Amino acid sequence: MRIAVTGASGKLGSVVTARLRDDGHSVIALDTTGERGAGFTRIDLTDYGQVVDAFSSIDDRHDGLDAVVHLAASPAGGIMPDSATFHHNIAATFNVFQAARRSGISTIVYASSETVLGIPFETPPPYIPLDEEYDTRPESMYSVVKHLEEELAKKLVRWDPELSVSALRFSNVMHVSDYAAFPSYDADPASRRWNLWGYIDARDGAQAVARALEARIPGFEAYVIANADTVMSRSSASLVDAVFPGVEVRRELGEHETLLSIDKARRMLGYEPEHSWRDHARPSPE
């Protein structure tokens, strides 16, 4: 396929771009910064004219696209004031969705966020493992935008039954270079309670994107995308007992099983994490 990837130079986007090219796709890399050549085009996604133009054609790069992977955003709260986070991220996502529709592109895979699940869980989660079956619970302006993006996608697919929009609720994105710090988390389990000790290896995040593009399920679907394990050495059950003692645990937990359920992504996309920090990090000293 010919695929545009927004945020192609980012922590996840660079890995996604490489994965899709390795899979044999032609990738147009769109971002505010990046290396010239290799299909990179600089773009301001808050400018609708630039987005619809880039999706329609770019000189000798392409004359039409089959799909869009939208990963670009201000990636967390606090980087900009709340008002700027809201206006920037919602404008960019609206422009991507609308420009794709206007350009005849019916396959969109984009980065939603684990934050819509209720992070940082100052109000305890409704149950564990968390899944996609309860309403979103945004607790920050960044997360409010992610909620609104999902709502926008739901309405667009109602208007256009051929449209396929996959919202990937990525957990905390990690590279191998990040894993050296993981053993230190054991000293204070509360330091990572904010996202139920979850993470996503960028390579497995890229796998999820590739699977969603291949599946191209009509309509809107949201998927929690995390690794199969937690960031902790201690057991998942002991973490829940210690930090969220009153929360319902809906099934027996594996030793290090993620508390962000990836069952739906496994079932509908064939997603299966292939990497773990445990394969790279040294154990903490006794």
Side-chain angles (χ1 to χ4, degrees):
M1 292 188 288
R2 291 168 297 180
I3 305 166
V5 177
T6 74
S9 300
K11 188 171 187 178
L12 178 59
S14 58
V15 181
V16 168
T17 297
R19 165 66 188 253
L20 295 179
R21 285 176 174 156
D22 287 346
D23 286 350
H25 301 296
S26 175
V27 178
I28 307 301
L30 303 176
D31 211 328
T32 55
T33 60
E35 295 184 10
R36 295 185 63 183
F40 171 76
T41 297
R42 184 176 295 108
I43 191 170
D44 177 0
L45 293 174
T46 65
D47 181 336
Y48 177 73
Q50 290 189 38
V51 182
V52 73
D53 191 29
F55 286 4
S56 299
S57 67
I58 301 176
D59 287 341
D60 59 349
R61 300 284 171 83
H62 76 89
D63 58 2
L65 297 168
D66 299 304
V68 173
V69 176
H70 176 43
L71 306 177
S74 179
I79 297 172
M80 299 188 292
D82 288 347
S83 58
T85 299
F86 181 92
H87 288 289
H88 180 277
N89 286 0
I90 199 69
T93 298
F94 170 80
N95 288 346
V96 166
F97 288 0
Q98 183 73 347
R101 296 175 62 238
R102 293 292 190 233
S103 303
I105 302 163
S106 59
T107 303
I108 302 171
V109 177
Y110 82 99
S112 185
S113 170
E114 64 180 356
T115 61
V116 301
L117 298 172
I119 286 171
F121 299 114
E122 292 176 0
T123 299
Y127 52 81
I128 289 174
L130 289 183
D131 56 24
E132 303 84 357
E133 298 305 314
Y134 67 96
D135 196 14
T136 55
R137 294 171 53 180
E139 299 288 354
S140 67
M141 192 56 65
Y142 170 83
S143 185
V144 165
V145 175
K146 290 300 183 183
H147 161 79
L148 293 174
E149 291 170 351
E150 291 192 6
E151 292 301 307
L152 173 61
K154 291 175 185 178
K155 303 308 181 284
L156 294 179
V157 300
R158 183 170 64 84
W159 294 349
D160 184 357
E162 295 301 313
L163 191 61
S164 170
V165 183
S166 300
L168 304 184
R169 295 175 174 176
F170 290 113
S171 189
N172 191 193
V173 178
M174 298 290 181
H175 288 172
V176 170
S177 58
D178 297 316
Y179 292 149
F182 277 35
S184 67
Y185 299 149
D186 286 329
D188 180 12
S191 70
R192 291 284 307 196
R193 72 185 292 279
W194 60 271
N195 78 333
L196 298 188
W197 307 279
Y199 75 107
I200 178 68
D201 186 292
R203 295 166 294 179
D204 285 318
Q207 180 209 152
V209 169
R211 299 283 188 189
L213 287 168
E214 293 164 4
R216 204 205 165 279
I217 297 171
F220 171 83
E221 294 290 346
Y223 307 92
V224 174
I225 302 296
N227 271 77
D229 58 345
T230 69
V231 302
M232 305 295 287
S233 296
R234 62 185 67 190
S235 74
S236 297
S238 69
L239 290 168
V240 176
D241 287 344
V243 181
F244 296 110
V247 173
E248 175 190 1
V249 179
R250 291 194 163 181
R251 65 167 181 257
E252 185 175 350
L253 298 171
E255 179 67 12
H256 299 117
E257 180 181 349
T258 177
L259 304 178
L260 304 172
S261 173
I262 54 176
D263 291 350
K264 181 179 179 181
R266 282 170 160 156
R267 182 177 70 253
M268 295 186 67
L269 302 180
Y271 167 71
E272 189 59 50
E274 298 172 348
H275 304 280
S276 170
W277 71 272
R278 299 168 208 280
D279 300 329
H280 301 279
R282 296 177 180 177
S284 57
E286 294 295 335

PDB file of all heavy atoms in Angstrom, residues 36-59:
ATOM      1  N   ARG A  36      15.712  14.960   5.012  1.00  0.00           N
ATOM      2  CA  ARG A  36      15.273  15.130   3.637  1.00  0.00           C
ATOM      3  C   ARG A  36      15.503  13.825   2.872  1.00  0.00           C
ATOM      4  O   ARG A  36      16.410  13.059   3.157  1.00  0.00           O
ATOM      5  CB  ARG A  36      16.033  16.270   2.967  1.00  0.00           C
ATOM      6  CG  ARG A  36      15.754  17.640   3.577  1.00  0.00           C
ATOM      7  CD  ARG A  36      16.442  18.728   2.803  1.00  0.00           C
ATOM      8  NE  ARG A  36      15.942  18.806   1.431  1.00  0.00           N
ATOM      9  CZ  ARG A  36      16.426  19.639   0.516  1.00  0.00           C
ATOM     10  NH1 ARG A  36      17.427  20.443   0.807  1.00  0.00           N
ATOM     11  NH2 ARG A  36      15.911  19.654  -0.707  1.00  0.00           N
ATOM     12  N   GLY A  37      14.653  13.624   1.891  1.00  0.00           N
ATOM     13  CA  GLY A  37      14.730  12.381   1.152  1.00  0.00           C
ATOM     14  C   GLY A  37      13.973  11.282   1.869  1.00  0.00           C
ATOM     15  O   GLY A  37      13.295  11.505   2.867  1.00  0.00           O
ATOM     16  N   ALA A  38      14.112  10.076   1.384  1.00  0.00           N
ATOM     17  CA  ALA A  38      13.466   8.893   1.983  1.00  0.00           C
ATOM     18  C   ALA A  38      11.979   9.114   2.201  1.00  0.00           C
ATOM     19  O   ALA A  38      11.391   8.618   3.154  1.00  0.00           O
ATOM     20  CB  ALA A  38      14.139   8.530   3.311  1.00  0.00           C
ATOM     21  N   GLY A  39      11.376   9.881   1.300  1.00  0.00           N
ATOM     22  CA  GLY A  39       9.935  10.062   1.363  1.00  0.00           C
ATOM     23  C   GLY A  39       9.458  11.046   2.402  1.00  0.00           C
ATOM     24  O   GLY A  39       8.266  11.096   2.704  1.00  0.00           O
ATOM     25  N   PHE A  40      10.364  11.854   2.987  1.00  0.00           N
ATOM     26  CA  PHE A  40       9.957  12.801   4.026  1.00  0.00           C
ATOM     27  C   PHE A  40       9.447  14.101   3.424  1.00  0.00           C
ATOM     28  O   PHE A  40      10.057  14.668   2.513  1.00  0.00           O
ATOM     29  CB  PHE A  40      11.120  13.115   4.968  1.00  0.00           C
ATOM     30  CG  PHE A  40      10.822  14.249   5.919  1.00  0.00           C
ATOM     31  CD1 PHE A  40       9.997  14.050   7.008  1.00  0.00           C
ATOM     32  CD2 PHE A  40      11.344  15.519   5.694  1.00  0.00           C
ATOM     33  CE1 PHE A  40       9.703  15.086   7.878  1.00  0.00           C
ATOM     34  CE2 PHE A  40      11.059  16.567   6.561  1.00  0.00           C
ATOM     35  CZ  PHE A  40      10.236  16.348   7.653  1.00  0.00           C
ATOM     36  N   THR A  41       8.331  14.599   3.963  1.00  0.00           N
ATOM     37  CA  THR A  41       7.785  15.903   3.594  1.00  0.00           C
ATOM     38  C   THR A  41       7.421  16.656   4.860  1.00  0.00           C
ATOM     39  O   THR A  41       6.737  16.120   5.736  1.00  0.00           O
ATOM     40  CB  THR A  41       6.535  15.756   2.699  1.00  0.00           C
ATOM     41  OG1 THR A  41       6.912  15.119   1.472  1.00  0.00           O
ATOM     42  CG2 THR A  41       5.914  17.103   2.395  1.00  0.00           C
ATOM     43  N   ARG A  42       7.876  17.897   4.954  1.00  0.00           N
ATOM     44  CA  ARG A  42       7.555  18.740   6.111  1.00  0.00           C
ATOM     45  C   ARG A  42       6.124  19.245   5.972  1.00  0.00           C
ATOM     46  O   ARG A  42       5.705  19.671   4.893  1.00  0.00           O
ATOM     47  CB  ARG A  42       8.527  19.917   6.208  1.00  0.00           C
ATOM     48  CG  ARG A  42       8.318  20.795   7.443  1.00  0.00           C
ATOM     49  CD  ARG A  42       9.373  21.882   7.533  1.00  0.00           C
ATOM     50  NE  ARG A  42      10.704  21.320   7.749  1.00  0.00           N
ATOM     51  CZ  ARG A  42      11.668  21.279   6.846  1.00  0.00           C
ATOM     52  NH1 ARG A  42      11.451  21.779   5.634  1.00  0.00           N
ATOM     53  NH2 ARG A  42      12.838  20.745   7.125  1.00  0.00           N
ATOM     54  N   ILE A  43       5.377  19.227   7.081  1.00  0.00           N
ATOM     55  CA  ILE A  43       3.970  19.624   7.018  1.00  0.00           C
ATOM     56  C   ILE A  43       3.522  20.218   8.343  1.00  0.00           C
ATOM     57  O   ILE A  43       4.027  19.834   9.406  1.00  0.00           O
ATOM     58  CB  ILE A  43       3.083  18.400   6.658  1.00  0.00           C
ATOM     59  CG1 ILE A  43       1.654  18.828   6.308  1.00  0.00           C
ATOM     60  CG2 ILE A  43       3.092  17.370   7.788  1.00  0.00           C
ATOM     61  CD1 ILE A  43       0.817  17.701   5.728  1.00  0.00           C
ATOM     62  N   ASP A  44       2.590  21.148   8.268  1.00  0.00           N
ATOM     63  CA  ASP A  44       1.906  21.679   9.443  1.00  0.00           C
ATOM     64  C   ASP A  44       0.496  21.102   9.427  1.00  0.00           C
ATOM     65  O   ASP A  44      -0.348  21.526   8.643  1.00  0.00           O
ATOM     66  CB  ASP A  44       1.868  23.211   9.401  1.00  0.00           C
ATOM     67  CG  ASP A  44       1.099  23.824  10.572  1.00  0.00           C
ATOM     68  OD1 ASP A  44       0.585  23.063  11.423  1.00  0.00           O
ATOM     69  OD2 ASP A  44       0.993  25.066  10.610  1.00  0.00           O
ATOM     70  N   LEU A  45       0.249  20.136  10.284  1.00  0.00           N
ATOM     71  CA  LEU A  45      -1.037  19.438  10.263  1.00  0.00           C
ATOM     72  C   LEU A  45      -2.191  20.305  10.748  1.00  0.00           C
ATOM     73  O   LEU A  45      -3.355  19.942  10.549  1.00  0.00           O
ATOM     74  CB  LEU A  45      -0.962  18.171  11.117  1.00  0.00           C
ATOM     75  CG  LEU A  45      -0.048  17.061  10.589  1.00  0.00           C
ATOM     76  CD1 LEU A  45       0.036  15.934  11.597  1.00  0.00           C
ATOM     77  CD2 LEU A  45      -0.522  16.532   9.243  1.00  0.00           C
ATOM     78  N   THR A  46      -1.901  21.428  11.392  1.00  0.00           N
ATOM     79  CA  THR A  46      -2.987  22.321  11.800  1.00  0.00           C
ATOM     80  C   THR A  46      -3.473  23.186  10.640  1.00  0.00           C
ATOM     81  O   THR A  46      -4.432  23.935  10.795  1.00  0.00           O
ATOM     82  CB  THR A  46      -2.561  23.221  12.972  1.00  0.00           C
ATOM     83  OG1 THR A  46      -1.521  24.110  12.552  1.00  0.00           O
ATOM     84  CG2 THR A  46      -2.074  22.379  14.142  1.00  0.00           C
ATOM     85  N   ASP A  47      -2.826  23.103   9.488  1.00  0.00           N
ATOM     86  CA  ASP A  47      -3.223  23.825   8.273  1.00  0.00           C
ATOM     87  C   ASP A  47      -3.921  22.825   7.350  1.00  0.00           C
ATOM     88  O   ASP A  47      -3.278  21.982   6.717  1.00  0.00           O
ATOM     89  CB  ASP A  47      -1.988  24.416   7.598  1.00  0.00           C
ATOM     90  CG  ASP A  47      -2.305  25.212   6.338  1.00  0.00           C
ATOM     91  OD1 ASP A  47      -3.366  24.974   5.715  1.00  0.00           O
ATOM     92  OD2 ASP A  47      -1.482  26.065   5.959  1.00  0.00           O
ATOM     93  N   TYR A  48      -5.258  22.915   7.282  1.00  0.00           N
ATOM     94  CA  TYR A  48      -6.022  21.934   6.513  1.00  0.00           C
ATOM     95  C   TYR A  48      -5.597  21.885   5.049  1.00  0.00           C
ATOM     96  O   TYR A  48      -5.523  20.800   4.449  1.00  0.00           O
ATOM     97  CB  TYR A  48      -7.520  22.225   6.614  1.00  0.00           C
ATOM     98  CG  TYR A  48      -8.363  21.276   5.782  1.00  0.00           C
ATOM     99  CD1 TYR A  48      -8.537  19.957   6.182  1.00  0.00           C
ATOM    100  CD2 TYR A  48      -8.953  21.694   4.591  1.00  0.00           C
ATOM    101  CE1 TYR A  48      -9.290  19.074   5.421  1.00  0.00           C
ATOM    102  CE2 TYR A  48      -9.707  20.826   3.828  1.00  0.00           C
ATOM    103  CZ  TYR A  48      -9.871  19.512   4.246  1.00  0.00           C
ATOM    104  OH  TYR A  48     -10.607  18.636   3.477  1.00  0.00           O
ATOM    105  N   GLY A  49      -5.299  23.041   4.479  1.00  0.00           N
ATOM    106  CA  GLY A  49      -4.897  23.063   3.082  1.00  0.00           C
ATOM    107  C   GLY A  49      -3.663  22.220   2.824  1.00  0.00           C
ATOM    108  O   GLY A  49      -3.592  21.496   1.818  1.00  0.00           O
ATOM    109  N   GLN A  50      -2.684  22.311   3.725  1.00  0.00           N
ATOM    110  CA  GLN A  50      -1.479  21.497   3.557  1.00  0.00           C
ATOM    111  C   GLN A  50      -1.798  20.006   3.647  1.00  0.00           C
ATOM    112  O   GLN A  50      -1.241  19.193   2.907  1.00  0.00           O
ATOM    113  CB  GLN A  50      -0.446  21.859   4.628  1.00  0.00           C
ATOM    114  CG  GLN A  50       0.196  23.217   4.472  1.00  0.00           C
ATOM    115  CD  GLN A  50       1.355  23.419   5.425  1.00  0.00           C
ATOM    116  OE1 GLN A  50       2.134  22.495   5.680  1.00  0.00           O
ATOM    117  NE2 GLN A  50       1.475  24.632   5.969  1.00  0.00           N
ATOM    118  N   VAL A  51      -2.693  19.648   4.556  1.00  0.00           N
ATOM    119  CA  VAL A  51      -2.980  18.228   4.774  1.00  0.00           C
ATOM    120  C   VAL A  51      -3.709  17.633   3.577  1.00  0.00           C
ATOM    121  O   VAL A  51      -3.315  16.579   3.057  1.00  0.00           O
ATOM    122  CB  VAL A  51      -3.795  18.023   6.069  1.00  0.00           C
ATOM    123  CG1 VAL A  51      -4.035  16.528   6.300  1.00  0.00           C
ATOM    124  CG2 VAL A  51      -3.080  18.628   7.262  1.00  0.00           C
ATOM    125  N   VAL A  52      -4.759  18.288   3.097  1.00  0.00           N
ATOM    126  CA  VAL A  52      -5.497  17.738   1.968  1.00  0.00           C
ATOM    127  C   VAL A  52      -4.630  17.714   0.717  1.00  0.00           C
ATOM    128  O   VAL A  52      -4.720  16.795  -0.109  1.00  0.00           O
ATOM    129  CB  VAL A  52      -6.825  18.505   1.746  1.00  0.00           C
ATOM    130  CG1 VAL A  52      -6.592  19.882   1.145  1.00  0.00           C
ATOM    131  CG2 VAL A  52      -7.787  17.690   0.898  1.00  0.00           C
ATOM    132  N   ASP A  53      -3.756  18.703   0.576  1.00  0.00           N
ATOM    133  CA  ASP A  53      -2.833  18.718  -0.563  1.00  0.00           C
ATOM    134  C   ASP A  53      -1.859  17.552  -0.480  1.00  0.00           C
ATOM    135  O   ASP A  53      -1.623  16.836  -1.467  1.00  0.00           O
ATOM    136  CB  ASP A  53      -2.090  20.050  -0.584  1.00  0.00           C
ATOM    137  CG  ASP A  53      -1.310  20.278  -1.866  1.00  0.00           C
ATOM    138  OD1 ASP A  53      -1.724  19.748  -2.910  1.00  0.00           O
ATOM    139  OD2 ASP A  53      -0.298  20.995  -1.825  1.00  0.00           O
ATOM    140  N   ALA A  54      -1.283  17.332   0.714  1.00  0.00           N
ATOM    141  CA  ALA A  54      -0.312  16.250   0.881  1.00  0.00           C
ATOM    142  C   ALA A  54      -0.938  14.880   0.680  1.00  0.00           C
ATOM    143  O   ALA A  54      -0.287  13.955   0.182  1.00  0.00           O
ATOM    144  CB  ALA A  54       0.315  16.331   2.269  1.00  0.00           C
ATOM    145  N   PHE A  55      -2.197  14.737   1.059  1.00  0.00           N
ATOM    146  CA  PHE A  55      -2.872  13.456   0.888  1.00  0.00           C
ATOM    147  C   PHE A  55      -3.275  13.212  -0.565  1.00  0.00           C
ATOM    148  O   PHE A  55      -3.390  12.059  -1.004  1.00  0.00           O
ATOM    149  CB  PHE A  55      -4.104  13.375   1.781  1.00  0.00           C
ATOM    150  CG  PHE A  55      -3.807  13.178   3.244  1.00  0.00           C
ATOM    151  CD1 PHE A  55      -2.502  13.155   3.722  1.00  0.00           C
ATOM    152  CD2 PHE A  55      -4.841  13.023   4.156  1.00  0.00           C
ATOM    153  CE1 PHE A  55      -2.231  12.981   5.074  1.00  0.00           C
ATOM    154  CE2 PHE A  55      -4.583  12.841   5.513  1.00  0.00           C
ATOM    155  CZ  PHE A  55      -3.284  12.823   5.970  1.00  0.00           C
ATOM    156  N   SER A  56      -3.496  14.268  -1.310  1.00  0.00           N
ATOM    157  CA  SER A  56      -3.922  14.125  -2.708  1.00  0.00           C
ATOM    158  C   SER A  56      -2.748  13.745  -3.601  1.00  0.00           C
ATOM    159  O   SER A  56      -2.855  12.848  -4.440  1.00  0.00           O
ATOM    160  CB  SER A  56      -4.553  15.426  -3.201  1.00  0.00           C
ATOM    161  OG  SER A  56      -5.695  15.742  -2.430  1.00  0.00           O
ATOM    162  N   SER A  57      -1.621  14.452  -3.432  1.00  0.00           N
ATOM    163  CA  SER A  57      -0.407  14.132  -4.187  1.00  0.00           C
ATOM    164  C   SER A  57       0.719  15.032  -3.694  1.00  0.00           C
ATOM    165  O   SER A  57       0.474  16.106  -3.152  1.00  0.00           O
ATOM    166  CB  SER A  57      -0.604  14.336  -5.690  1.00  0.00           C
ATOM    167  OG  SER A  57      -0.792  15.706  -5.984  1.00  0.00           O
ATOM    168  N   ILE A  58       1.952  14.562  -3.882  1.00  0.00           N
ATOM    169  CA  ILE A  58       3.134  15.372  -3.579  1.00  0.00           C
ATOM    170  C   ILE A  58       4.138  15.152  -4.706  1.00  0.00           C
ATOM    171  O   ILE A  58       4.831  14.131  -4.749  1.00  0.00           O
ATOM    172  CB  ILE A  58       3.773  14.997  -2.230  1.00  0.00           C
ATOM    173  CG1 ILE A  58       2.788  15.166  -1.071  1.00  0.00           C
ATOM    174  CG2 ILE A  58       5.013  15.858  -1.976  1.00  0.00           C
ATOM    175  CD1 ILE A  58       3.341  14.728   0.275  1.00  0.00           C
ATOM    176  N   ASP A  59       4.197  16.068  -5.637  1.00  0.00           N
ATOM    177  CA  ASP A  59       5.155  16.043  -6.739  1.00  0.00           C
ATOM    178  C   ASP A  59       5.495  14.622  -7.174  1.00  0.00           C
ATOM    179  O   ASP A  59       4.625  13.874  -7.609  1.00  0.00           O
ATOM    180  CB  ASP A  59       6.424  16.820  -6.361  1.00  0.00           C
ATOM    181  CG  ASP A  59       6.179  18.324  -6.360  1.00  0.00           C
ATOM    182  OD1 ASP A  59       5.194  18.751  -6.978  1.00  0.00           O
ATOM    183  OD2 ASP A  59       6.970  19.057  -5.755  1.00  0.00           O
TER     184      ASP A  59
END
